[in-house]
Amino acid sequence: MRDGIAMRGDWRNETIIVSLSVDGLGSRDLASLHQLLDAGEQDRAASFHFDADRHSYIAAHGLLRLFLGAWLGRSPTQLAFNAGTWGKPALVRGGAPFSISHTRGMVAVAIAPQGEVGVDVEQLCPRREPELEIADRWFSTAEVAQIAAIEAEADKRERFMRIWNLKEAVIKATGRGLSQELTGFSVTPAADDDGSSPGLDCHEEWLRQAGQWQLEQWHLDGYLLAVAGINGPTTKPRHLKVTADGLAALADGVPVMA
């Protein structure tokens, strides 16, 4: 039996982010997702040295094919991809803008009906240092000041990761990746309890001219998930947690909200 609530109606008019815990997948689930991948993706999966990295790759790209197939009404195995100027993947035959992200244990896919979208998922490691030297090099002055103003080391670590997570989503939305100057914009994570969205201050003119920006961020049991949209729907992006059972519903063309 599939768990959760089937999304029906006008769900394709929203920006939707689906996340999937890799730890909740069994060997049969991974085998089914692996069968959806094309030869190049299967070769890439086989190249990973560690099983955890291989499983995350398979889960992410299998989920992408299932979700895009449901969104577009196409067979997941018939979808073909190419890369843009800076390497951002896109559908060969055209379709909805999308973004994909994976880390050990968690994967995410974002799809929007219009504009551009970028998604990033990061693992929160409680023992990780704030890495202020990385912030000094890659973050804007305002972002470095955010971290420096925090006294508790654990809170510094979390603020560092929340900023990094949001910045990754932004550069994936523009499609330029790390070729983009990371100090050309500043992000401000939202307060956890006020329902507000993260802030974005574009220091470079081309970013301001890109269009209407929208950022959101979620905590996911030891992970951070962020999405950035350009000229997307005015409604807030919706996040769905998909379980192994929910993958079957995606294969039938309907996403399931856990």
Side-chain angles (χ1 to χ4, degrees):
M1 179 181 296
R2 296 172 187 147
D3 58 353
I5 303 170
M7 297 287 294
R8 301 191 183 276
D10 60 354
W11 59 270
R12 291 181 181 85
N13 294 329
E14 304 175 66
T15 296
I16 297 182
I17 305 93
V18 290
S19 63
L20 174 66
S21 172
V22 182
D23 294 337
L25 300 178
S27 58
R28 288 187 178 181
D29 300 316
L30 288 167
S32 296
L33 291 168
H34 185 269
Q35 290 177 349
L36 300 175
L37 309 185
D38 64 22
E41 291 167 331
Q42 291 183 1
D43 288 344
R44 173 62 176 149
S47 71
F48 286 97
H49 180 73
F50 295 104
D51 287 344
D53 298 324
R54 182 181 307 108
H55 294 166
S56 292
Y57 178 90
I58 292 170
H61 287 262
L63 178 64
L64 173 65
R65 286 181 171 274
L66 282 174
F67 194 20
L68 273 175
W71 187 287
L72 300 171
R74 301 181 195 170
S75 169
T77 58
Q78 297 303 310
L79 298 175
F81 304 94
N82 56 18
T85 304
W86 291 282
K88 184 176 182 178
L91 285 160
V92 171
R93 288 176 50 193
F98 68 89
S99 182
I100 181 173
S101 181
H102 56 88
T103 188
R104 282 192 177 186
M106 185 68 67
V107 303
V109 172
I111 304 181
Q114 63 197 53
E116 297 293 342
V117 66
V119 70
D120 183 63
V121 61
E122 300 284 348
Q123 186 174 19
L124 280 171
C125 180
R127 293 181 297 277
R128 184 171 183 172
E129 294 301 317
E131 302 185 36
L132 294 182
E133 68 278 7
I134 295 178
D136 286 338
R137 179 178 179 183
W138 297 106
F139 288 5
S140 70
T141 302
E143 291 164 341
V144 173
Q146 288 181 47
I147 299 171
I150 299 173
E151 294 186 4
E153 289 301 307
D155 293 338
K156 281 182 181 287
R157 284 193 292 270
E158 179 161 337
R159 178 53 64 106
F160 172 88
M161 290 304 302
R162 291 183 70 182
I163 291 173
W164 183 265
N165 184 219
L166 287 164
K167 289 179 85 70
E168 283 276 2
V170 168
I171 63 176
K172 292 177 79 171
T174 66
R176 299 194 180 192
L178 290 174
S179 66
Q180 180 176 332
E181 180 57 64
L182 294 183
T183 58
F185 63 95
S186 300
V187 296
T188 304
D192 290 330
D193 56 357
D194 66 358
S196 62
S197 298
L200 174 65
D201 185 9
C202 299
H203 309 313
E204 297 182 333
E205 183 63 23
W206 74 271
L207 280 171
R208 289 192 291 270
Q209 295 296 324
Q212 185 66 38
W213 284 89
Q214 187 176 47
L215 275 63
E216 293 294 339
Q217 190 172 49
W218 299 268
H219 280 87
L220 302 178
D221 299 326
Y223 296 86
L224 286 171
L225 173 66
V227 65
I230 311 173
N231 296 327
T234 56
T235 55
K236 278 195 172 188
R238 188 192 300 235
H239 169 230
L240 309 178
K241 293 182 180 180
V242 176
T243 65
D245 288 338
L247 293 175
L250 271 179
D252 289 341
V254 180
V256 169
M257 178 172 57

